[in-house]
Amino acid sequence: MVDLKESRNKIDKIDSSIVELFEERMLVANEVAEYKRGSGKAVFDPERENQKLDSLEDLASTAFNKRAVRELFSQIMSISKKYQYDILRNTDSIKGFECVDKLEYDENTRVCYFGSPGSYTQQAMEEFFGTNVIGISNGTFKEVMEKVQSGEADYGVLPIENSSTGGISTNYDIIINYDNNIVGEHVVKIDQCLMALPGTKMDEIKTIYSHEQGLKQCSQFLANYPQIKQIEYASTSDSAKKVSIDQDKTKAAIGSARAAKEYGLEIIKENIQQETNNSTRFIVISNKDIYKKGSNRIALCIEVKHESGSLYKILSHFMFNDLNMLMIESRPITGQNWRYRFFVDIEGNLEDSGVKCALRGIKEEAQHVRILGNF
């Protein structure tokens, strides 16, 4: 019978040798980095890396070991690249973004927001900018984006993520098609109300209107009334507006208490969302490449190769640079079946050395990367 203690001692000696060889390899990686610093050569050389992995795989004796060796050396090469990026971090800078002390706005500032007056987005706008700016109501997310990009508006406010239903996919799909940048964010506590014309009783209601998110956030409440038809509408505030205009007691809307007051409706039931702490995160966009001093959240859009481990390699840049990932959302790429882009938020500022190091590595290894903002 094999002596377990003896086998463990052998493994300990082998592991010690592996560590010594690893450190020797990293010293050589340092020499390579110094050469690349002087020559301007890229850290990532995919052709050389694949050739090397193929040759190492051929040295292994079994099918299992061949796969394992390739995986092992892929990890070692990944660590080596991170090390080289760290050495070269001072040779790279974040171009195109300007750091400002504060966002500029006054009583003449035009801010587009999604939905009719009374929307949660209008509330987010006023809580972020105050009530002295010129608020401009817009019926679609796309209109907000277009007006900001064209300069018709100075800023825009859009919902991007809800604490109970997740990311608002439409806005992720839209934001990548415009040159606007995220310059701020604001979180609003969402308390959904069921509202209708004054004097309306619950048993009179046959149809409920709301934005898709409003219906999702209240799905448990709505499940108690299967006989009532649910209709997705442009926004929660537009739903309230419709009920007010139609003057039909068989119709009701889900939205804010503010919307009920705005359109003269009566609240039948309050706080009908299933999550007590239901909140929505709103983003503030601008067509300027700026970020406020002290900003600590960075939004990225990343496209990777459609192959095993490609996303892991990209995300490892955050790990090796001690950057905390706050959110990741995948969205299909139009016209490319089963291909996805990833929206990632990380903690950090564009001036942080670790952020610069991670972004340099991601830019070299991803098929496409775009900084959506630092806020």
Side-chain angles (χ1 to χ4, degrees):
M1 182 179 291
V2 174
D3 187 316
L4 179 60
K5 184 176 180 180
E6 182 180 347
S7 296
R8 285 178 171 173
N9 286 336
K10 288 180 181 178
I11 287 177
D12 289 343
K13 289 180 182 179
I14 294 170
D15 288 346
S16 294
S17 298
I18 290 174
V19 171
E20 289 179 11
L21 289 170
F22 173 77
E23 291 198 319
E24 183 178 344
R25 191 184 196 283
M26 296 306 287
L27 287 174
V28 178
N30 182 72
E31 295 173 2
V32 172
E34 291 297 335
Y35 170 80
K36 290 177 178 177
R37 185 201 299 272
S39 66
K41 187 178 178 64
V43 169
F44 183 47
D45 185 344
E47 185 176 354
R48 158 69 177 168
E49 187 169 301
N50 285 326
Q51 289 174 350
K52 183 67 176 174
L53 289 172
D54 288 341
S55 63
L56 290 168
E57 185 179 319
D58 288 341
L59 296 176
S61 57
T62 68
F64 178 87
N65 283 352
K66 286 179 183 293
R67 290 193 300 272
V69 163
R70 191 174 193 94
E71 182 178 341
L72 172 64
F73 278 91
S74 292
Q75 295 296 327
I76 291 174
M77 289 178 180
S78 180
I79 293 168
S80 178
K81 284 182 289 188
K82 309 305 182 297
Y83 178 64
Q84 292 182 53
Y85 289 131
D86 188 62
I87 291 173
L88 297 170
R89 69 170 64 187
N90 293 325
T91 67
D92 195 32
S93 61
I94 304 300
K95 298 178 177 64
F97 281 84
E98 177 187 358
C99 181
V100 297
D101 290 330
K102 62 178 182 178
L103 299 180
E104 298 291 341
Y105 54 88
D106 54 30
E107 66 275 6
N108 296 314
T109 300
R110 299 155 300 171
V111 184
C112 283
Y113 65 89
F114 169 67
S116 297
S119 68
Y120 287 110
T121 315
Q122 183 189 33
Q123 179 181 337
M125 177 197 72
E126 292 182 355
E127 290 180 3
F128 187 90
F129 289 101
T131 57
N132 290 329
V133 297
I134 303 170
I136 305 170
S137 168
N138 290 267
T140 66
F141 299 147
K142 185 178 179 182
E143 286 176 3
V144 175
M145 282 288 185
E146 288 175 345
K147 288 181 179 178
V148 172
Q149 180 168 289
S150 68
E152 187 176 338
D154 302 292
Y155 298 99
V157 181
L158 292 168
I160 195 70
E161 182 182 18
N162 180 264
S163 59
S164 61
T165 58
I168 298 172
S169 57
T170 305
N171 279 345
Y172 283 111
D173 293 336
I174 288 175
I175 196 170
I176 199 65
N177 295 323
Y178 294 87
D179 295 329
N180 301 321
N181 296 296
I182 305 171
V183 296
E185 70 171 353
H186 185 72
V187 177
V188 172
K189 175 76 164 58
I190 306 296
D191 293 318
Q192 300 285 18
C193 303
L194 180 67
M195 63 192 76
L197 295 175
T200 300
K201 305 299 182 185
M202 193 69 208
D203 58 7
E204 295 180 273
I205 299 172
K206 296 181 179 179
T207 306
I208 292 178
Y209 296 86
S210 191
H211 186 266
E212 174 192 12
Q213 287 289 315
L215 296 174
K216 284 182 178 179
Q217 292 164 28
C218 303
S219 59
Q220 291 182 14
F221 169 81
L222 293 170
N224 296 319
Y225 302 94
Q227 75 279 11
I228 297 178
K229 185 179 182 180
Q230 301 172 33
I231 297 181
E232 291 184 10
Y233 211 62
S235 70
T236 55
S237 54
D238 281 301
S239 299
K241 184 177 180 180
K242 175 177 176 55
V243 171
S244 178
I245 291 172
D246 289 354
Q247 288 293 300
D248 183 347
K249 282 192 172 185
T250 67
K251 297 178 180 179
I254 291 175
S256 67
R258 177 177 181 155
K261 183 178 179 181
E262 178 79 28
Y263 298 105
L265 301 179
E266 182 179 295
I267 295 175
I268 298 175
K269 290 186 181 292
E270 295 182 303
N271 301 327
I272 61 173
Q273 71 280 356
Q274 48 259 30
E275 293 291 336
T276 304
N277 297 318
N278 187 34
S279 299
T280 294
R281 185 166 67 93
F282 294 83
I283 55 173
V284 179
I285 59 171
S286 167
N287 64 6
K288 296 179 180 178
D289 297 334
I290 58 174
Y291 63 97
K292 193 167 66 172
K293 186 177 181 181
S295 294
N296 60 3
R297 186 173 187 138
I298 299 171
L300 305 167
C301 178
I302 303 170
E303 294 178 17
V304 300
K305 292 181 179 179
H306 190 53
E307 60 186 33
S308 174
S310 58
L311 179 60
Y312 167 79
K313 291 176 183 177
I314 294 299
L315 297 183
S316 68
H317 287 283
F318 303 137
M319 178 181 69
F320 282 101
N321 287 286
D322 296 321
L323 299 175
N324 183 30
M325 189 171 68
L326 302 172
M327 183 278 297
I328 182 168
E329 183 90 13
S330 65
R331 295 297 302 153
I333 300 174
T334 302
Q336 300 183 44
N337 287 353
W338 321 122
R339 297 290 303 277
Y340 296 84
R341 59 171 58 97
F342 297 90
F343 293 88
V344 180
D345 282 11
I346 61 170
E347 281 185 334
N349 186 280
L350 290 175
E351 290 301 315
D352 297 342
S353 59
V355 169
K356 291 182 179 181
C357 181
L359 290 178
R360 177 176 183 137
I362 292 170
K363 285 179 179 178
E364 285 198 15
E365 296 181 30
Q367 287 193 315
H368 174 75
V369 60
R370 176 181 161 190
I371 301 171
L372 299 175
N374 189 188
F375 47 97

